Amino acid sequence: MAPDKTSPRRMTVTEVEVFLRDPPAGFTVEEAPGSGYRVRSDPERVLVLIDDFQCCRGKIVFQNSPGRKVKLHDLWEYTSMRKSLLSKRIYLLTSACQEPFSAGHNKAANEVRVLQQYVVSIDGSDPLIKWQLERGLDWTISSVAGESYRVDIDLAETLENWAAKNIHMESDKLLRVEPVWRDASFTLKYYSDALFDFPHWFGFSKRNFKVIDSYSSHFIFNLFLDSSACSGFSNLSTLLVSLQLRLT
């Protein structure tokens, strides 16, 4: 599955080996001393959120990448990251995995098996993607009232929809496998200068929203709220509220 260098789509999914052999526009790949590869990217064109990792070709290092979990310490860093998210093509590394067939038979049965690693990109400037990112980021800020927070931007559902149409995977026993996607998200961690940041300390400022590559899908926000702020739910430590906003 070769990457398309001429007309990038809203989302691309490329096997790691193909990406290294034929990198898309904005990337250059060079062999590292010993083994492995260094991948350079143009920060003016792309936003890479990939940690260093090992594959069959050795250690792969993406330079100019802050990693999948980005730490932001002030408003300037947040504003800069937000601008990049809404204007550039965003690259992640994700793995298609096979869940164990059964639990309890042996140790190996409980281990998730990686079937294939992919470099996934989404176009942050695409109207649909940009709309979802803007709504999700704005909702996150308005829901945390100035304290530190963590927000996960999840692409798992989009990858599941893509996989159902584009790939066919089999297990060692030649059985069809529906892959489970690992690391199909990226995280922004914002640290405020609040003296007593109790919601963050106790884990009440975690947020999550999905980016879905489909006009017919539901845009779902998952809100994790402190039960003390929700009358009538005193028996729940955390309330999960799903707001479904149909895209038009």
Side-chain angles (χ1 to χ4, degrees):
M1 186 185 306
D4 185 350
K5 296 186 178 183
T6 57
S7 56
R9 294 161 292 179
R10 183 180 296 143
M11 184 182 78
T12 64
V13 184
T14 309
E15 294 179 9
V16 167
E17 292 79 5
V18 176
F19 184 95
L20 295 174
R21 184 172 64 248
D22 187 18
F27 289 89
T28 58
V29 178
E30 59 185 36
E31 293 188 19
S35 65
Y37 292 85
R38 283 197 297 260
V39 183
R40 302 180 187 274
S41 58
D42 181 356
E44 298 299 319
R45 302 177 60 182
V46 299
L47 175 61
V48 182
L49 303 176
I50 299 178
D51 298 305
D52 300 346
F53 68 98
Q54 290 286 147
C55 74
C56 59
R57 296 194 174 195
K59 185 177 182 179
I60 312 301
V61 177
F62 279 80
Q63 299 184 335
N64 302 323
S65 170
R68 194 168 60 87
K69 297 181 179 181
V70 183
K71 295 181 179 180
L72 307 170
H73 297 91
D74 54 43
L75 183 59
W76 184 89
E77 290 183 353
Y78 169 80
T79 302
S80 177
M81 175 56 61
R82 180 186 175 106
K83 181 179 179 180
S84 294
L85 288 172
L86 300 178
S87 63
K88 300 176 183 178
R89 182 162 285 273
I90 305 162
Y91 285 82
L92 307 172
L93 177 74
T94 186
S95 301
C97 302
Q98 176 188 348
E99 286 187 319
F101 287 110
S102 61
H105 285 137
N106 52 55
K107 181 179 179 180
N110 292 322
E111 296 178 353
V112 174
R113 177 188 172 204
V114 176
L115 300 173
Q116 184 63 258
Q117 289 180 302
Y118 294 93
V119 176
V120 177
S121 77
I122 57 172
D123 183 2
S125 66
D126 176 87
L128 173 62
I129 301 297
K130 185 175 182 177
W131 183 86
Q132 295 180 76
L133 288 171
E134 284 181 320
R135 289 288 185 96
L137 294 173
D138 289 345
W139 160 76
T140 298
I141 293 175
S142 65
S143 70
V144 295
E147 69 261 20
S148 300
Y149 63 85
R150 164 183 172 150
V151 56
D152 297 319
I153 296 91
D154 186 5
L155 306 178
E157 184 172 335
T158 292
L159 286 169
E160 290 168 1
N161 295 336
W162 173 87
K165 300 176 182 178
N166 292 280
I167 61 175
H168 178 88
M169 290 185 170
E170 294 181 344
S171 67
D172 293 337
K173 298 181 180 180
L174 301 181
L175 298 175
R176 181 177 175 81
V177 174
E178 293 186 7
V180 175
W181 294 94
R182 175 184 288 179
D183 297 331
S185 65
F186 60 95
T187 301
L188 303 182
K189 294 183 176 181
Y190 182 82
Y191 296 92
S192 76
D193 55 1
L195 183 60
F196 298 105
D197 208 350
F198 294 113
H200 177 66
W201 296 346
F202 291 104
F204 296 140
S205 56
K206 295 179 181 179
R207 302 292 185 266
N208 171 285
F209 67 89
K210 297 182 180 183
V211 173
I212 303 175
D213 181 26
S214 173
Y215 282 102
S216 61
S217 297
H218 287 83
F219 185 28
I220 302 174
F221 290 102
N222 293 322
L223 284 66
F224 295 90
L225 304 178
D226 179 11
S227 61
S228 64
C230 304
S231 60
F233 293 94
S234 58
N235 293 328
L236 297 177
S237 60
T238 304
L239 171 64
L240 175 62
V241 180
S242 295
L243 299 179
Q244 299 186 349
L245 304 177
R246 182 172 294 278
L247 301 179
T248 57

